[in-house]
Amino acid sequence: MTDDRPAAEPSYAHGTGGTALLGDTIGANLDRAVAAWPDREALVDVPSGRRWTYAEFAADVDRLARALLASDVAKGDRVGIWAVNCAEWVLVQYATARIGAIMVNINPAYRTHEVAYVLKQAGISLLFASLRHKGSDYRAMVEQVRPACPDLREAVYIDDPSWTAFAARGTADRAEELRLRAAELSCDDPINIQYTSGTTGFPKGATLSHHNILNNGYFVGELIAYSEQDRVCVPVPFYHCFGMVMGNLAATSHGACLVVPAASFDPAATLAAVERERCTSLYGVPTMFIAELNLPGFAGYDLSTLRTGIMAGSPCPVEVMKRVVAEMHMAEVAICYGMTETSPVSLQTRTDDDLEHRTGTVGRVLPHLEVKIVDPATGVTRPRGTAGELCTRGYSVMLGYWAEPEKSAEAIDAGRWMHTGDLAVMREDGYVEIVGRIKDMIIRGGENVYPREIEEFLYGHPKIRDVQVVGVPHERYGEEVLACVIPLDAADPLTLQELRAFCADRLAHYKIPSRLSVLDAFPMTVSGKVRKIELRERYGAAAPGEA
């Protein structure tokens, strides 16, 4: 007897669209924006009160680019930026692109041994840095590691006379030299190195081209209908793709205005900037939106100009999304999914998607990209509706890890598919659900447990503000389920008994957390992702029960 049922569609999707890829360099694309909208605002740095029109912004970018030329920065030289969010960060981004230097993003949270590693591994010859941030004296740290970094010729500090002196080198008589340099550049040249968060060993430097990041920023902006009328509030770090690509490049490629609310995330400063600058778009990871929604006096902010924005970094709880749409007026907010190695966005929800698609999925494939879901062991494409590893291919895939061809080959296969390490399911309609990291999946007594499912369920508990679920070692079952909870009211914390009672008869027994840890905050990366590995390490050896 034959089975006449149709075979399930494979978990593969190709993004089509009527808008062509951009063939520009970043500098040429900025020139287009300046020609179209010279008098529109391009950048507002709220803490300092400074603002630039597109014409003024391009003039300052060119001045800094000429200063780089005067400092003998050649095409392909690596220029580091170790700074918090500020206008100078943005100027460095576009000025290095103007001359074909490779800007290397350095995490503001790095300590001396991490900075030394990046300076040496990338061969950074010129470094721009903040003076200090959150107790870190960047100048002292640079001087400490400088003897071990022979390529580093010069360090320039923002808000310091060294910045003013450096910019003064960009005299007008180098304008022709700048024009000739720009004419030598290809959109496929490497332009940016971003170090991915290393969970074991040192981080790897994802190397990205003009073509990678300009197009990714452009299409992210296209899908939320950016125009020169938009004003984009970016409280996420520029150090990460979320800020510098989805924020800066999405804005300038559409003639929109970039608004910097603070040096680092501050919920009150963010909402105040949205109100004062009449922002139409707001970015953040879910924990940022949660902090804003729970801010005392939240209801007093006028957020009526908002229409859209981007939430990314981790899954959005349903209740948070409902409040973002209803109370922050962000009816067209998008969920984005990606990774540094893919510039970063591969999947995005659309402005007219319903609540379920915005919270249950991370959207569908972007134009001009491909995604598929494969069996992690065999590489064979899985049928739709079944879990496997998410892979992506197209213009967004990095050139490789800087000076590490073997690690590049481990991440990008012979077909140029980038293997994300994420477990995902593609629905029949092409939307993708992320069910966890391959390394984060909990295997309890032979049962596969996906933390996202339990987290989403626990968000419904009236005492829980935020929750992360991880697996920790267990002598009998191999792993057990630990819920790390931030309570809604610190004076009335949740107990393990209450948590388990809430789950009883509603979750399968092996999914119910057997341990609980009540925290004030989660350990986070600078890009706003929860460091689950730290939670596992911190509580892995704790006694059973409440950690």
Side-chain angles (χ1 to χ4, degrees), residues 29-30 33 37 42 54 57 94 214 247-256 258:
N29 187 260
L30 179 60
W37 306 289
Y54 267 89
F57 177 68
Y94 287 81
L214 176 59
N248 300 355
L249 289 170
T252 60
S253 62
H254 291 88
L258 175 73

Side-chain angles (χ1 to χ4, degrees), residues 348-375:
Q348 183 172 338
T349 59
R350 299 332 195 232
T351 56
D352 57 352
D353 281 340
D354 60 25
L355 179 69
E356 194 283 325
H357 277 88
R358 292 188 204 187
T359 55
T361 81
V362 290
R364 52 190 169 95
V365 66
L366 263 65
H368 304 291
L369 294 179
E370 299 170 90
V371 293
K372 67 177 179 178
I373 293 169
V374 302
D375 184 313

Side-chain angles (χ1 to χ4, degrees), residues 135-214:
S136 293
D137 183 336
Y138 287 9
R139 193 200 304 267
M141 294 166 76
V142 170
E143 292 308 311
Q144 183 179 338
V145 304
R146 201 163 185 169
C149 302
D151 294 315
L152 184 62
R153 302 194 315 258
E154 184 174 8
V156 177
Y157 296 93
I158 297 164
D159 289 331
D160 179 76
S162 62
W163 171 271
T164 306
F166 185 89
R169 299 175 195 171
T171 52
D173 59 354
R174 291 189 178 271
E176 179 62 12
E177 184 181 357
L178 178 57
R179 188 192 67 80
L180 292 173
R181 174 67 68 83
E184 297 174 2
L185 306 182
S186 162
C187 66
D188 293 317
D189 291 335
I191 203 64
N192 182 219
I193 297 174
Q194 300 200 27
Y195 281 83
T196 59
S197 301
T199 53
T200 57
F202 283 102
K204 303 180 291 291
T207 307
L208 304 166
S209 68
H210 295 267
H211 196 65
N212 288 148
I213 60 177
L214 176 59

Side-chain angles (χ1 to χ4, degrees), residues 455-477:
E455 289 163 358
E456 192 64 57
F457 172 76
L458 292 179
Y459 275 117
H461 195 289
K463 285 191 174 184
I464 292 178
R465 173 175 292 180
D466 206 354
V467 58
Q468 295 290 322
V469 169
V470 297
V472 291
H474 188 275
E475 187 174 326
R476 179 179 176 187
Y477 296 113

